Amino acid sequence: MATSSAMSTSNDKIKYTISVTQNSQNITNNTSNVTVKVRFYRTNTGYTTYGTGTVYCKINGTQYSASVTSSQKITNSGIVLFTKTLDITHNSDGSKTLTCSAWIDHQQVTSNEQSYSQTLTTITRKSTLTVCNGTLGVAQTLSITRNSSSFTHTISYTCGSASGTIASKTTGTSVSFTPP
């Protein structure tokens, strides 16, 4: 879990943080499942803040909200007033920086929208092909390291004006090839 630094509110004794937990990744769909939480706390002890209101959280450009009831009290130990778990689509190269922002509109405390960004673990989008130096007319083995069992691979060669397809949409991890 990664957590932002303390964010300010209209009450200098009440702060909040945004945390992002990356739960899992789906290589096939190029997504990460994440949980975003907004936690409020008092910086001093012996005081309690309660009332009704709404916590807003914008995740990857989409706004969500959670109602706050008078039974949800902000103390020195802290309380999570917003939680959302969802799938986040990565960029085409597998990278993703997730930006979240949050603010509160409450009977006792308010805040401006403040943001936090967290870089998610990159999802590898391509496999690795290992080829040894070969000899024309002699069979050799091409090794494929797949990053997902759902990946298929088309392997081709080009040498001067000669070209061809070695394998088309194979799911194998090795292919035999005799350079013509």
Side-chain angles (χ1 to χ4, degrees):
M1 179 178 71
T3 304
S4 71
S5 57
M7 297 177 176
S8 61
T9 70
S10 58
N11 184 327
D12 64 359
K13 302 297 183 184
I14 299 176
K15 308 291 184 183
Y16 66 101
T17 59
I18 301 172
S19 65
V20 176
T21 302
Q22 191 169 344
N23 304 312
S24 61
Q25 289 189 316
N26 185 313
I27 296 174
T28 303
N29 294 336
N30 195 31
T31 59
S32 284
N33 182 266
V34 301
T35 299
V36 177
K37 295 182 179 181
V38 183
R39 177 180 176 269
F40 287 79
Y41 63 95
R42 292 193 64 97
T43 58
N44 55 351
T45 58
Y47 293 88
T48 299
T49 299
Y50 58 91
T52 60
T54 305
V55 174
Y56 299 91
C57 187
K58 192 179 293 182
I59 305 171
N60 203 35
T62 301
Q63 184 175 309
Y64 305 92
S65 63
S67 297
V68 181
T69 67
S70 56
S71 64
Q72 294 174 293
K73 299 176 180 180
I74 303 172
T75 64
N76 178 252
S77 59
I79 183 172
V80 174
L81 295 180
F82 175 90
T83 302
K84 183 73 174 178
T85 299
L86 70 169
D87 290 328
I88 300 296
T89 301
H90 286 231
N91 301 320
S92 60
D93 65 356
S95 66
K96 181 63 181 179
T97 298
L98 178 63
T99 298
C100 305
S101 61
W103 63 101
I104 189 170
D105 183 7
H106 190 274
Q107 286 179 319
Q108 305 299 327
V109 61
T110 60
S111 74
N112 295 323
E113 180 179 1
Q114 296 166 83
S115 64
Y116 170 64
S117 295
Q118 175 61 36
T119 301
L120 303 181
T121 302
T122 298
I123 300 174
T124 303
R125 301 310 298 154
K126 60 182 180 181
S127 300
T128 303
L129 180 67
T130 303
V131 182
C132 298
N133 290 331
T135 303
L136 296 178
V138 178
Q140 63 172 296
T141 299
L142 312 181
S143 298
I144 305 167
T145 302
R146 296 196 302 165
N147 286 301
S148 171
S149 59
S150 65
F151 284 3
T152 62
H153 304 91
T154 297
I155 304 169
S156 58
Y157 70 90
T158 301
C159 182
S161 61
S163 63
T165 300
I166 299 168
S168 179
K169 295 187 178 180
T170 180
T171 57
T173 56
S174 65
V175 176
S176 179
F177 171 55
T178 301

